């Protein structure tokens, strides 16, 4: 009888885990806007900053009222520079699914596709097809015809600007008035006139953070001598699906136990993690240096703390990048293999957020344009150790919901000290996590965003129509 009971519990646990992991895939359905910039610039719209008082359930896809219902039967063409597990394409897919949910007719084209379509591209395309998004070639006549008859064309990322001249050619002028350009880039090499020369003539630009919007306005004016179009600042938001897992204690406990068991981490150990694609710009190398330095500090000061681990989610050894090889060599050199764990890149971030204790957002240079993993971690009541750069500064309140450190090599020791602080002060760690969760509930939920993205799309469609009428 006892054996039967144990087997039944184990079976139920496996079933619940499979269900939750499958559920976490649907974190793809989150996105949108938070606010805007200062009204001193006429080209930068201010979206109402007050939190919505409409009940959350009223904004669930399929419920009423839905602020995007005016998009029903609208024809929208989405132009992505690539199709991958990176932030830009996934955000555009979320927009596609959101608009499909209200009855919009959605078409998708991908500019850069590998000769041999990989498993990721195949999987994502079929996910879209299954949701009613029609996918076709970016360079065929079908793309031109769709762009000409569309109510709205969304260009995703600065690089997508090349598609206008390459494919539309003489039809570019007719399409520009109905283009919404969604920009996620913060790096200087995207400021090429070949990419963005048509930017002043589109109906609007949508950018993920105030810092990035200001950067684009200054750089386009000073370096390229062009003017930004009407610009909206777009903060992202957490899906209801992710929030359901984050707020379910049983689900979190099951996921936490399973992931920690798979990593060889005990329940009492402290886990710091970066969840980002592995690249130099995301700062995994500097994080590992900080982590090692924090271990040295704890040893030198003879501090009593549980065993600490570093987890890097976003690995891809199939790509055999020099950078990832350097990371793994560093771990071996410092003899911390038992404390550092590499996890392949995945869409299912919820299990790892449930399993860790602190998120590290260590993006370098100008930082993240926004960094949605930050608000996802805060939903799981995790404190965030982030670089004081980019969109992270618009999310993390230093000393309240997390701790900030400088980007670059000068941030290595401050981050190490912050790791030690949170490792040695349990109450502080828990309090920061709770305050982060409260901020998410106040600003970064799906229903906060849906109403504001609707405002943006209405404005873009209105300007497009007025241009056509004139």
């Amino acid at each position: 009888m006892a054996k039967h009971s144990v087997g039944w519990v184990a079976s139920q646990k496996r079933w619940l885990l499979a269900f939750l992991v499958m559920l976490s895939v649907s974190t793809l359905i989150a996105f949108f806007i938070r606010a805007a910039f200062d009204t001193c610039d006429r080209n930068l719209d201010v979206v109402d900053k007050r939190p919505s008082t409409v009940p959350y359930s009223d904004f669930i896809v399929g419920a009423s009222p839905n602020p995007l219902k005016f998009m029903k039967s609208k024809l929208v063409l989405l132009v992505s520079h690539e199709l991958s597990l990176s932030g830009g394409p996934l955000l555009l897919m979320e927009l596609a699914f959101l608009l499909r949910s209200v009855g919009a007719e959605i078409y998708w084209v991908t500019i850069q596709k590998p000769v041999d379509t990989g498993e990721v591209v195949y999987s994502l395309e079929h996910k879209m097809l299954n949701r009613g998004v029609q996918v076709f070639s970016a360079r065929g006549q079908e793309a031109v015809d769709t762009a000409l008859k569309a109510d709205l064309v969304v260009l995703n990322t600065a690089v997508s600007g090349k598609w206008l001249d390459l494919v539309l050619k003489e039809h570019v002028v007719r399409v520009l008035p109905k283009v919404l350009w969604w920009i996620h880039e913060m790096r200087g090499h995207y400021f090429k006139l070949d990419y963005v020369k048509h930017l002043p003539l589109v109906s609007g630009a949508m950018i993920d953070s105030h810092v990035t919007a200001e950067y684009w306005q200054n750089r386009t004016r000073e370096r390229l001598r062009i003017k930004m179009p009407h610009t909206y600042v777009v903060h992202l938001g957490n899906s209801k699906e992710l929030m359901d897992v984050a707020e379910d204690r049983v689900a979190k406990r099951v996921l936490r136990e399973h992931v920690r068991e798979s990593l060889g981490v005990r329940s009492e150990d402290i886990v710091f993690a970066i969840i980002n694609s592995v690249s130099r710009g995301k700062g995994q190398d500097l994080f590992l240096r900080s982590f090692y330095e924090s271990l040295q500090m704890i040893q030198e000061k003879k501090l009593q703390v549980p065993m600490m681990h570093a987890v890097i989610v976003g690995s891809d050894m199939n790509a055999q990048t020099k950078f990832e090889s350097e990371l793994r060599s560093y771990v071996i050199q410092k003899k911390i293999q038992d404390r550092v764990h590499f996890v392949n890149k995945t869409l299912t971030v919820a299990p790892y957020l449930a399993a860790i204790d602190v998120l590290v957002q260590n993006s370098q240079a100008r930082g993240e344009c926004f960094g949605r993993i930050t608000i996802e971690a805060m939903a799981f009541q995790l404190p965030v150790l982030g670089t004081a750069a980019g969109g992270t500064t618009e999310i993390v309140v230093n000393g309240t919901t997390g701790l900030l450190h400088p980007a670059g090599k000068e941030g290595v020791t401050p981050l190490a000290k912050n790791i030690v602080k949170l490792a040695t002060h349990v109450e502080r760690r828990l309090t920061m996590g709770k305050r982060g969760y409260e901020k998410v509930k106040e600003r970064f939920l799906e229903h906060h965003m849906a109403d504001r993205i609707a405002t943006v799309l209405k404005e873009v469609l209105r300007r497009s129509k007025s241009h056509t009428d004139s």
Side-chain angles (χ1 to χ4, degrees), residues 20-249:
L20 292 170
V21 170
M22 185 170 63
L23 183 64
S24 66
V25 174
S26 60
T27 57
L28 279 174
I29 311 171
F31 131 97
F32 316 133
I33 311 183
R34 176 206 165 294
F37 237 150
D38 197 332
T39 55
C40 62
D41 191 327
R42 292 184 181 179
N43 282 334
L44 207 57
D45 262 16
V46 175
V47 182
D48 183 13
K49 296 181 179 180
R50 293 170 297 175
S52 171
T53 56
V54 180
Y56 187 30
S57 59
D58 288 351
F59 281 84
I60 298 173
V61 173
S64 182
N66 190 315
L68 286 163
K69 61 184 179 182
F70 68 93
M71 291 297 294
K72 182 178 181 180
S73 301
K74 298 290 185 188
L75 194 160
V76 181
L77 175 65
L78 305 179
V79 182
S80 182
H81 76 292
E82 66 177 13
L83 190 54
S84 67
L85 295 180
S86 57
L90 295 182
L91 286 173
L92 195 65
M93 282 182 62
E94 292 173 5
L95 176 59
F97 298 154
L98 193 77
L99 294 177
R100 277 294 301 141
S101 72
V102 294
E105 187 177 354
I106 308 299
Y107 294 84
W108 177 289
V109 298
T110 304
I111 300 172
Q112 300 173 5
K113 292 181 71 173
V115 177
D116 297 322
T117 301
E119 183 179 341
V120 170
V121 173
Y122 179 83
S123 175
L124 293 178
E125 283 190 346
H126 274 264
K127 185 181 292 289
M128 288 192 285
L129 291 170
N130 290 337
R131 300 285 289 271
V133 178
Q134 302 181 56
V135 180
F136 50 74
S137 170
R139 303 194 180 195
Q141 186 60 40
E142 198 172 17
V144 177
D145 294 340
T146 304
L148 290 172
K149 65 183 180 180
D151 296 293
L152 176 68
V153 176
V154 180
L155 290 183
N156 198 41
T157 74
V159 180
S160 296
K162 295 190 295 184
W163 178 82
L164 295 169
D165 287 322
L166 182 65
V167 176
L168 296 185
K169 299 176 182 177
E170 69 271 14
H171 300 296
V172 170
V173 176
R174 291 177 56 190
V175 175
L176 288 178
K178 51 187 176 183
V179 168
L180 174 63
W181 205 323
W182 200 359
I183 295 171
H184 312 285
E185 295 91 342
M186 280 283 275
R187 297 190 181 122
H189 65 266
Y190 291 107
F191 288 89
K192 294 182 179 178
L193 204 56
D194 287 348
Y195 293 163
V196 298
K197 64 182 180 181
H198 295 299
L199 192 54
L201 300 177
V202 302
S203 186
M206 198 158 66
I207 300 181
D208 300 344
S209 65
H210 302 297
V211 173
T212 311
E214 185 175 23
Y215 178 65
W216 269 85
Q217 288 206 331
N218 293 337
R219 293 275 294 205
T220 50
R221 181 179 63 247
E222 296 167 4
R223 298 291 182 93
L224 303 179
R225 300 291 187 263
I226 64 175
K227 186 180 180 182
M228 288 290 288
H230 226 87
T231 303
Y232 302 88
V233 173
V234 178
H235 280 178
L236 310 179
N238 287 331
S239 70
K240 180 183 181 299
E241 287 77 11
L242 181 123
M243 294 303 298
D244 283 345
V245 178
E247 296 176 333
D248 188 324
R249 291 183 180 180

Side-chain angles (χ1 to χ4, degrees), residues 308-319:
M308 288 166 37
H309 296 261
V311 175
I312 295 176
V313 180
S315 176
D316 186 4
M317 277 308 289
N318 291 330

Side-chain angles (χ1 to χ4, degrees), residues 342-383:
F342 291 87
V343 177
N344 284 337
K345 56 186 177 182
T346 176
L347 286 177
T348 56
V349 298
Y352 298 99
L353 292 173
I356 69 176
D357 299 292
V358 180
L359 180 82
V360 179
Q361 179 62 280
N362 205 41
S363 294
Q364 297 301 302
R366 297 179 185 89
E368 287 288 328
C369 186
F370 181 79
R372 188 173 55 178
I373 190 65
T374 306
I375 60 172
E376 290 176 330
M378 289 161 63
F380 278 77
Q381 299 192 34
L382 300 176

